[in-house]
Amino acid sequence: MLELRLVQGSLLKKVLEAIKELVTDANFDCSATGFSLQAMDSSHVALVALLLRSEGFEHYRCDRNLSMGMNLGNVSKMLRCAGSDDIITIKADDGSDTVTFMFESPNQDKIADFEMKLMDIDSEHLGIPDAEYQAIVRMPSGEFARICKDLSSIGDTVIISVTKEGVKFSTAGDIGTANIVCRQNKTVDKPEEATVIEMQEPVSLTFALRYLNSFTKATPLSETVSISLSSDLPVVVEYKIADMGYVRYYLAPKIEE
Amino acid sequence: DAKQGNILSFFKKT
């Protein structure tokens, strides 16, 4: 028996919008720790890891570990039927081949049940080792989204370079080139508007902008994003979900031949 | 040209 009640149902709606472009089908894993997902895109270039900790739910019952295969487009269709202020409850019986999403309006005058068929998905779980990153950049998520969108109108790839001067995003295409430098800026009114660079040593890596743009679908989940870079590792682009967990995207770099 | 890396060459299956 599984029953997860999330008062801030809009969070789940945003989570689906954040991952459905990258991944088509995925297993949602439910355990005492929380509600989680790990999945790669079809070309195995990017990986998304989601965690919603059990403590973040108003009610969390998961009698035994359960893995539920879902088509994310279909989940998104179902969740789009929930109002933005609705309370969402996810329910599944042991051994059932369906999951139920229940939507309650805030004043309880409307209750809807949407039952969705589950699917068998062969997914590979990958071990992601803890790593020391050469540089971690924290910046407003909207700013990062804007940079990725702007650069993708010029080129297909971005070189992200971190030095003590700041973080530079560079691209080149048929019509020209572009460079955007963001300097560390801690002297802002609100901490979420700051750009903070923690650098152990300078690092420069090249990534496909198409994937980074896809990651920015998570922007509504968090006002800030952190970008962790090391020369021999995929970049980690993390959006924290307040009090609950995170959506982390891993993207393999482009490698010079 | 740079070649696109693959996640599976960085993270191993558990």
Side-chain angles (χ1 to χ4, degrees), chain A residues 185-242:
Chain A
N185 179 13
K186 293 178 172 172
T187 55
V188 286
D189 294 342
K190 299 175 192 163
E192 61 269 23
E193 290 170 358
T195 297
V196 180
I197 297 168
E198 286 172 25
M199 192 194 76
Q200 309 302 322
E201 52 186 309
V203 59
S204 181
L205 286 162
T206 305
F207 300 100
L209 275 166
R210 181 165 73 87
Y211 289 94
L212 293 176
N213 267 310
S214 178
F215 303 167
T216 63
K217 301 285 179 198
T219 304
L221 281 168
S222 178
E223 292 198 79
T224 60
V225 62
S226 76
I227 305 155
S228 303
L229 298 145
S230 260
S231 47
D232 49 359
L233 285 173
V235 62
V236 191
V237 179
E238 181 185 64
Y239 296 84
K240 286 208 189 309
I241 303 171

Side-chain angles (χ1 to χ4, degrees), chain A residues 93-110:
Chain A
D93 289 320
D94 287 343
S96 170
D97 58 356
T98 62
V99 60
T100 299
F101 300 101
M102 191 173 89
F103 310 142
E104 295 169 69
S105 63
N107 59 1
Q108 309 280 313
D109 59 356
K110 182 179 167 192

Side-chain angles (χ1 to χ4, degrees), chain A residues 28-171:
Chain A
F28 283 89
D29 298 313
C30 205
S31 72
T33 312
F35 192 62
S36 64
L37 170 150
Q38 191 202 80
M40 279 182 287
D41 77 300
S42 58
S43 55
H44 297 173
V45 169
L47 178 142
V48 57
L50 161 75
L51 175 65
L52 298 175
R53 289 186 199 92
S54 51
E55 306 88 79
F57 291 82
E58 190 206 25
H59 170 71
Y60 192 93
R61 178 178 171 187
C62 176
D63 295 344
R64 60 191 179 92
N65 291 359
L66 196 62
S67 190
M68 297 183 290
M70 302 186 205
N71 173 280
L72 299 188
N74 292 345
V75 180
S76 170
K77 278 183 196 170
M78 297 242 162
L79 294 184
R80 265 185 255 155
C81 301
S84 54
D85 299 328
D86 281 2
I87 298 160
I88 298 181
T89 303
I90 304 169
K91 289 198 247 187
D93 289 320
D94 287 343
S96 170
D97 58 356
T98 62
V99 60
T100 299
F101 300 101
M102 191 173 89
F103 310 142
E104 295 169 69
S105 63
N107 59 1
Q108 309 280 313
D109 59 356
K110 182 179 167 192
I111 295 171
D113 277 285
F114 286 70
E115 190 181 78
M116 193 184 79
K117 290 173 193 160
L118 295 176
M119 55 200 291
D120 283 325
I121 297 167
D122 251 351
S123 73
E124 296 142 342
H125 208 269
L126 302 183
I128 301 168
D130 283 332
E132 290 282 320
Y133 286 91
Q134 285 167 273
I136 302 175
V137 177
R138 290 187 186 81
M139 63 192 298
S141 59
E143 184 62 44
F144 178 62
R146 172 74 196 265
I147 289 168
C148 292
K149 179 170 166 279
D150 287 351
L151 293 186
S152 60
S153 65
I154 313 291
D156 297 328
T157 61
V158 59
I159 302 169
I160 305 178
S161 310
V162 184
T163 63
K164 59 177 193 273
E165 314 302 326
V167 53
K168 184 166 80 168
F169 301 87
S170 309
T171 194

Side-chain angles (χ1 to χ4, degrees), chain A residues 44-45 124-125 127 252-253 255, chain B residues 3-8 12 14:
Chain A
H44 297 173
V45 169
E124 296 142 342
H125 208 269
I255 299 156
Chain B
K3 182 176 168 248
Q4 176 61 60
N6 189 303
I7 283 290
L8 292 170
K12 299 298 166 215
T14 55

